[in-house]
PDB file of all heavy atoms in Angstrom:
ATOM      1  N   ALA A 173     -91.255  21.767 -57.439  1.00 88.00           N
ATOM      2  CA  ALA A 173     -92.009  23.011 -57.323  1.00 88.00           C
ATOM      3  C   ALA A 173     -93.241  23.004 -58.228  1.00 88.00           C
ATOM      4  O   ALA A 173     -94.307  23.463 -57.832  1.00 88.00           O
ATOM      5  CB  ALA A 173     -91.118  24.206 -57.642  1.00 88.00           C
ATOM      6  N   CYS A 174     -93.122  22.486 -59.439  1.00 88.00           N
ATOM      7  CA  CYS A 174     -94.256  22.507 -60.376  1.00 88.00           C
ATOM      8  C   CYS A 174     -95.038  21.205 -60.346  1.00 88.00           C
ATOM      9  O   CYS A 174     -95.782  20.898 -61.276  1.00 88.00           O
ATOM     10  CB  CYS A 174     -93.769  22.812 -61.784  1.00 88.00           C
ATOM     11  SG  CYS A 174     -92.940  24.387 -61.914  1.00 88.00           S
ATOM     12  N   ARG A 175     -94.864  20.421 -59.257  1.00 89.00           N
ATOM     13  CA  ARG A 175     -95.582  19.149 -59.100  1.00 89.00           C
ATOM     14  C   ARG A 175     -95.461  18.275 -60.356  1.00 89.00           C
ATOM     15  O   ARG A 175     -96.463  17.966 -61.002  1.00 89.00           O
ATOM     16  CB  ARG A 175     -97.078  19.369 -58.791  1.00 89.00           C
ATOM     17  CG  ARG A 175     -97.351  20.270 -57.628  1.00 89.00           C
ATOM     18  CD  ARG A 175     -96.992  19.555 -56.335  1.00 89.00           C
ATOM     19  NE  ARG A 175     -96.468  20.516 -55.357  1.00 89.00           N
ATOM     20  CZ  ARG A 175     -97.212  21.198 -54.492  1.00 89.00           C
ATOM     21  NH1 ARG A 175     -98.499  21.009 -54.431  1.00 89.00           N
ATOM     22  NH2 ARG A 175     -96.667  22.045 -53.658  1.00 89.00           N
ATOM     23  N   PRO A 176     -94.262  17.900 -60.726  1.00 90.00           N
ATOM     24  CA  PRO A 176     -94.092  17.096 -61.933  1.00 90.00           C
ATOM     25  C   PRO A 176     -94.640  15.692 -61.723  1.00 90.00           C
ATOM     26  O   PRO A 176     -94.765  15.232 -60.584  1.00 90.00           O
ATOM     27  CB  PRO A 176     -92.573  17.047 -62.113  1.00 90.00           C
ATOM     28  CG  PRO A 176     -92.045  17.160 -60.724  1.00 90.00           C
ATOM     29  CD  PRO A 176     -92.995  18.064 -59.995  1.00 90.00           C
ATOM     30  N   ALA A 177     -94.989  15.035 -62.815  1.00 90.00           N
ATOM     31  CA  ALA A 177     -95.474  13.659 -62.727  1.00 90.00           C
ATOM     32  C   ALA A 177     -94.316  12.705 -62.444  1.00 90.00           C
ATOM     33  O   ALA A 177     -94.499  11.670 -61.835  1.00 90.00           O
ATOM     34  CB  ALA A 177     -96.165  13.280 -64.034  1.00 90.00           C
ATOM     35  N   ILE A 178     -93.116  13.103 -62.951  1.00 91.00           N
ATOM     36  CA  ILE A 178     -91.961  12.217 -62.807  1.00 91.00           C
ATOM     37  C   ILE A 178     -90.792  12.973 -62.196  1.00 91.00           C
ATOM     38  O   ILE A 178     -90.495  14.098 -62.610  1.00 91.00           O
ATOM     39  CB  ILE A 178     -91.516  11.668 -64.184  1.00 91.00           C
ATOM     40  CG1 ILE A 178     -92.665  10.907 -64.852  1.00 91.00           C
ATOM     41  CG2 ILE A 178     -90.279  10.781 -64.048  1.00 91.00           C
ATOM     42  CD1 ILE A 178     -92.361  10.516 -66.286  1.00 91.00           C
ATOM     43  N   LEU A 179     -90.158  12.359 -61.199  1.00 92.00           N
ATOM     44  CA  LEU A 179     -88.919  12.900 -60.663  1.00 92.00           C
ATOM     45  C   LEU A 179     -87.800  11.903 -60.963  1.00 92.00           C
ATOM     46  O   LEU A 179     -87.885  10.746 -60.557  1.00 92.00           O
ATOM     47  CB  LEU A 179     -89.033  13.117 -59.147  1.00 92.00           C
ATOM     48  CG  LEU A 179     -87.751  13.575 -58.446  1.00 92.00           C
ATOM     49  CD1 LEU A 179     -87.379  14.985 -58.868  1.00 92.00           C
ATOM     50  CD2 LEU A 179     -87.893  13.492 -56.936  1.00 92.00           C
ATOM     51  N   ILE A 180     -86.795  12.378 -61.677  1.00 92.00           N
ATOM     52  CA  ILE A 180     -85.639  11.521 -61.915  1.00 92.00           C
ATOM     53  C   ILE A 180     -84.573  11.911 -60.898  1.00 92.00           C
ATOM     54  O   ILE A 180     -84.181  13.074 -60.833  1.00 92.00           O
ATOM     55  CB  ILE A 180     -85.085  11.703 -63.348  1.00 92.00           C
ATOM     56  CG1 ILE A 180     -86.179  11.402 -64.372  1.00 92.00           C
ATOM     57  CG2 ILE A 180     -83.873  10.810 -63.562  1.00 92.00           C
ATOM     58  CD1 ILE A 180     -85.749  11.675 -65.798  1.00 92.00           C
ATOM     59  N   ALA A 181     -84.151  10.970 -60.084  1.00 90.00           N
ATOM     60  CA  ALA A 181     -83.128  11.271 -59.085  1.00 90.00           C
ATOM     61  C   ALA A 181     -81.880  10.465 -59.423  1.00 90.00           C
ATOM     62  O   ALA A 181     -81.885   9.240 -59.338  1.00 90.00           O
ATOM     63  CB  ALA A 181     -83.630  10.931 -57.692  1.00 90.00           C
ATOM     64  N   ASP A 182     -80.840  11.171 -59.868  1.00 89.00           N
ATOM     65  CA  ASP A 182     -79.610  10.493 -60.299  1.00 89.00           C
ATOM     66  C   ASP A 182     -78.620  10.462 -59.143  1.00 89.00           C
ATOM     67  O   ASP A 182     -78.008  11.467 -58.824  1.00 89.00           O
ATOM     68  CB  ASP A 182     -79.021  11.240 -61.508  1.00 89.00           C
ATOM     69  CG  ASP A 182     -77.801  10.524 -62.083  1.00 89.00           C
ATOM     70  OD1 ASP A 182     -77.458   9.446 -61.570  1.00 89.00           O
ATOM     71  OD2 ASP A 182     -77.200  11.059 -63.026  1.00 89.00           O
ATOM     72  N   GLU A 183     -78.495   9.328 -58.511  1.00 87.00           N
ATOM     73  CA  GLU A 183     -77.600   9.160 -57.361  1.00 87.00           C
ATOM     74  C   GLU A 183     -77.785  10.295 -56.350  1.00 87.00           C
ATOM     75  O   GLU A 183     -76.825  10.983 -55.996  1.00 87.00           O
ATOM     76  CB  GLU A 183     -76.138   9.145 -57.820  1.00 87.00           C
ATOM     77  CG  GLU A 183     -75.837   8.109 -58.880  1.00 87.00           C
ATOM     78  CD  GLU A 183     -75.217   6.844 -58.312  1.00 87.00           C
ATOM     79  OE1 GLU A 183     -75.235   6.688 -57.064  1.00 87.00           O
ATOM     80  OE2 GLU A 183     -74.741   6.016 -59.095  1.00 87.00           O
ATOM     81  N   PRO A 184     -78.995  10.517 -55.870  1.00 86.00           N
ATOM     82  CA  PRO A 184     -79.249  11.725 -55.075  1.00 86.00           C
ATOM     83  C   PRO A 184     -78.532  11.731 -53.734  1.00 86.00           C
ATOM     84  O   PRO A 184     -78.420  12.784 -53.120  1.00 86.00           O
ATOM     85  CB  PRO A 184     -80.766  11.707 -54.879  1.00 86.00           C
ATOM     86  CG  PRO A 184     -81.145  10.271 -54.978  1.00 86.00           C
ATOM     87  CD  PRO A 184     -80.202   9.678 -55.985  1.00 86.00           C
ATOM     88  N   THR A 185     -78.052  10.589 -53.269  1.00 84.00           N
ATOM     89  CA  THR A 185     -77.468  10.574 -51.927  1.00 84.00           C
ATOM     90  C   THR A 185     -75.990  10.205 -51.935  1.00 84.00           C
ATOM     91  O   THR A 185     -75.362  10.193 -50.889  1.00 84.00           O
ATOM     92  CB  THR A 185     -78.210   9.549 -51.031  1.00 84.00           C
ATOM     93  OG1 THR A 185     -78.080   8.264 -51.633  1.00 84.00           O
ATOM     94  CG2 THR A 185     -79.671   9.887 -50.904  1.00 84.00           C
ATOM     95  N   THR A 186     -75.445   9.939 -53.098  1.00 81.00           N
ATOM     96  CA  THR A 186     -74.075   9.432 -53.164  1.00 81.00           C
ATOM     97  C   THR A 186     -73.057  10.389 -52.562  1.00 81.00           C
ATOM     98  O   THR A 186     -72.088   9.977 -51.925  1.00 81.00           O
ATOM     99  CB  THR A 186     -73.707   9.149 -54.636  1.00 81.00           C
ATOM    100  OG1 THR A 186     -74.705   8.303 -55.170  1.00 81.00           O
ATOM    101  CG2 THR A 186     -72.352   8.479 -54.745  1.00 81.00           C
ATOM    102  N   ALA A 187     -73.281  11.703 -52.763  1.00 78.00           N
ATOM    103  CA  ALA A 187     -72.288  12.675 -52.312  1.00 78.00           C
ATOM    104  C   ALA A 187     -72.482  13.073 -50.852  1.00 78.00           C
ATOM    105  O   ALA A 187     -71.785  13.958 -50.362  1.00 78.00           O
ATOM    106  CB  ALA A 187     -72.344  13.914 -53.215  1.00 78.00           C
ATOM    107  N   LEU A 188     -73.443  12.440 -50.179  1.00 80.00           N
ATOM    108  CA  LEU A 188     -73.789  12.908 -48.829  1.00 80.00           C
ATOM    109  C   LEU A 188     -73.293  11.958 -47.733  1.00 80.00           C
ATOM    110  O   LEU A 188     -73.005  10.793 -47.991  1.00 80.00           O
ATOM    111  CB  LEU A 188     -75.313  13.042 -48.726  1.00 80.00           C
ATOM    112  CG  LEU A 188     -75.951  13.999 -49.743  1.00 80.00           C
ATOM    113  CD1 LEU A 188     -77.459  13.914 -49.664  1.00 80.00           C
ATOM    114  CD2 LEU A 188     -75.477  15.421 -49.507  1.00 80.00           C
ATOM    115  N   ASP A 189     -73.233  12.479 -46.523  1.00 81.00           N
ATOM    116  CA  ASP A 189     -72.900  11.645 -45.359  1.00 81.00           C
ATOM    117  C   ASP A 189     -73.973  10.573 -45.156  1.00 81.00           C
ATOM    118  O   ASP A 189     -75.128  10.768 -45.516  1.00 81.00           O
ATOM    119  CB  ASP A 189     -72.874  12.508 -44.083  1.00 81.00           C
ATOM    120  CG  ASP A 189     -71.662  13.408 -44.056  1.00 81.00           C
ATOM    121  OD1 ASP A 189     -70.754  13.166 -44.874  1.00 81.00           O
ATOM    122  OD2 ASP A 189     -71.656  14.336 -43.251  1.00 81.00           O
TER     123      ASP A 189
END
Side-chain angles (χ1 to χ4, degrees):
Chain A
C174 300
R175 307 288 146 89
I178 301 172
L179 175 68
I180 302 175
D182 185 2
E183 305 261 12
T185 60
T186 307
L188 302 173
D189 288 347

